[in-house]
Amino acid sequence: MGRQRIDALVSGVGQSDVGRRLHRPPLDLTIDACLAAIADAGLRIEDIDGLATYPGGIDMPPGFSGVGVSDVQEVLRLELDWFTGGMELPGQLGSVVNAVLAVSAGLCKHVLCFRTVTEGSAQGGGGRSAVMPGSGGGGRGGSGVRMGSFMQWSLPYGAPSAANWIATMATRHFHEFGTTEAQLGAIAVNGRRNAALNAKAVYRDPMTIDDYLASRVISSPLRLFDCDAPCDGSTAVIVSAPETAVDLRTAAPRVESVGTAIHGRPSWDQWDDLTTMALRDASAQLFAASDLTPADVDVAELYDGFSFIALCWLEALGFCGRGEGGAFIEGGANIAREGVLPLNTHGGQLSGGRLHGYGFLHEACIQLWGEGGDRQLPTQPEVAVAGAGGGPLAASLLLTRS
Amino acid sequence: MSQPFRVLPRLDDSNRHYWTGGEHGELRILRCDACRTWIHPPAPICPSCRGRALTPEPTSGLGELHTFTVNHQPWYPGLEPPYTIGVVALPEQEGLRITAGIIGIEPGDVRIGLAVRVVFEQYDDVWLPFFEPADG
Ligand SMILES: [Zn+2]
């Protein structure tokens, strides 16, 4: 696999307020994020000639999006040369990869990419069970509703959540490699420690490994603190063509390579090796297309919708050997701000809030810019990796400081 | 005793053999007439030889627990946790797996590698396959 024919910068990032329940319309939050990103890039609204989003204007399950490309185009009166929105992508950041490709192909110069969630407000007081498929709260009706699609294979057994599906993978990893609950807990504890430095993070109170081990089990071996925190918020990033660099506010991170591959069966339970996921193939592709190696990476922002997914990303990206993720994260020293590979410096989704993929790219760029404020790493990162998605969904980006 | 709440599959020509084989006590999986590959979930083409002639056949009903989780979260009123969800490897073919509930064993006693056999529970016109310990 040779180098990829991509040439793109991430010229700006922006984020709305983030909170457990903001009770604001998703489009309103989206515009906050988009305007912030445009200003961050040093651009004007009329410079935006591309739009990309995941998962598009659907709102099922409730709060999952609610904002599509056409909503943003309409309210900002954009003149678009290219756009994309949808969810049949290699995860949430697949939409940003699309933007990178569009810019590289010369279809447009500045793609505004966004992802908006209002899952916190949508759940109200009912918790996650209020938005589960087949439940009364999810808009799909209650008993008597019949399920088609891939969900038919797990829903009859009371396994409607990715928490259940990811848990079976974690069980297998624990079995094959001796990974322990206390090791896995380091992901959550690290995220909480980093979230204390992020004013927008939804959970900032200190958490110890004992707190983690005392939290209730959701689906073994995953505990409450292994599951990310539904929230409200919108994140935007702008992907720009390199020839526009003179127009930008500051030197922008360059996209070195992207990973989008999925070679195994696109399934949560039929995947060939349940100790890993599609991120295995997306990660291999990422480094095959670059002269950089995992040792060159200074900071990793990796999807922790469930903690175990971040562990899998660490292994797949080669920061440790296959099956060695538990030992690598144990105690948290390696992945701490001061460690060999700072992980999820904003708190991840576990403590920062479930901004669903885009938060990791946002944070990777913040760190490369050196604009992290209280949470900026003491040694300026030059190379960052952002990866998002779990199960059959995964995309990653390798970024270098200009 | 009333049954627990279950979200049931929507039956159609592609999945009916799987969800109703239990009426005859059979776990039925689609199989390629030409090369004998077992295919799950059902598909209109054999992934091995690309043959289009496929017919459901009964399996042995035996399996080995490949992995599992014990769910503690109350997702649905009427379906009380804890309960065990397993991914069961069928001996008929390497990599042939199905997801199903694991019953007849305390959740805390479930282990990977457990030898299991299929049992069925009927809900309306659906016979859900579950697995229980084979030596039970
Ligand atoms: Zn065949």
Side-chain angles (χ1 to χ4, degrees), chain B residues 31-37 39 45-54:
Chain B
R31 197 170 191 191
C32 177
D33 292 356
C35 79
R36 312 301 291 149
T37 294
I39 304 157
I45 184 169
C46 170
S48 296
C49 75
R50 314 298 182 183
R52 302 298 298 270
L54 314 172

Side-chain angles (χ1 to χ4, degrees), chain A residues 170 173-174 178-190 207-215 217 221-223 225-226 307-308 311 325-333 335:
Chain A
H173 195 280
F174 281 31
T179 315
T180 67
E181 294 181 14
Q183 288 176 336
L184 186 61
I187 300 278
V189 171
N190 177 69
M207 182 209 296
T208 67
I209 192 70
D210 291 331
D211 296 331
Y212 167 85
L213 291 170
S215 71
V217 175
L222 302 183
R223 298 174 176 280
F225 294 147
D226 290 308
S307 56
F308 178 70
L311 184 153
F328 182 76
I329 64 175
E330 183 168 2
I335 56 175

Side-chain angles (χ1 to χ4, degrees), chain A residues 20-21 23 119-131, chain B residues 73:
Chain A
R20 283 282 282 160
R21 291 181 183 88
H23 298 295
E119 292 180 311
S121 292
Q123 289 185 7
R128 289 197 181 202
S129 62
V131 294
Chain B
Q73 180 74 6

Side-chain angles (χ1 to χ4, degrees), chain A residues 14-20 22 29-30 33 53-55 63-65 91-93 95-96 113-120 128 198-202 228-237 303-305 346-363 375 388-389:
Chain A
Q15 201 165 62
S16 70
D17 287 345
V18 176
R20 283 282 282 160
L22 299 177
L29 295 170
T30 305
T53 192
Y54 174 99
F64 192 59
S65 170
Q92 306 84 11
L93 292 181
S95 52
V96 178
C113 311
F114 64 92
R115 171 84 182 98
T116 304
V117 289
T118 53
E119 292 180 311
R128 289 197 181 202
N198 176 7
K200 284 188 174 177
V202 297
D228 60 2
C231 70
D232 295 359
S234 180
T235 307
V237 303
Y303 192 85
D304 61 354
H346 58 315
Q349 292 185 179
L350 293 172
S351 286
R354 177 179 157 80
L355 294 163
H356 214 215
Y358 269 54
F360 300 97
L361 179 58
H362 179 274
E363 178 66 8
R375 68 179 191 274

Side-chain angles (χ1 to χ4, degrees), chain A residues 189-207 337 344-348 351-352 374-375:
Chain A
V189 171
N190 177 69
R192 183 63 63 90
R193 178 169 179 260
N194 291 340
L197 302 173
N198 176 7
K200 284 188 174 177
V202 297
Y203 292 133
R204 304 180 67 199
D205 294 338
M207 182 209 296
R337 290 173 49 78
N344 294 348
T345 47
H346 58 315
S351 286
D374 291 344
R375 68 179 191 274

Side-chain angles (χ1 to χ4, degrees), chain A residues 59-73:
Chain A
D59 200 27
M60 185 58 63
F64 192 59
S65 170
V67 182
V69 159
S70 53
D71 299 313
V72 172
Q73 182 187 11

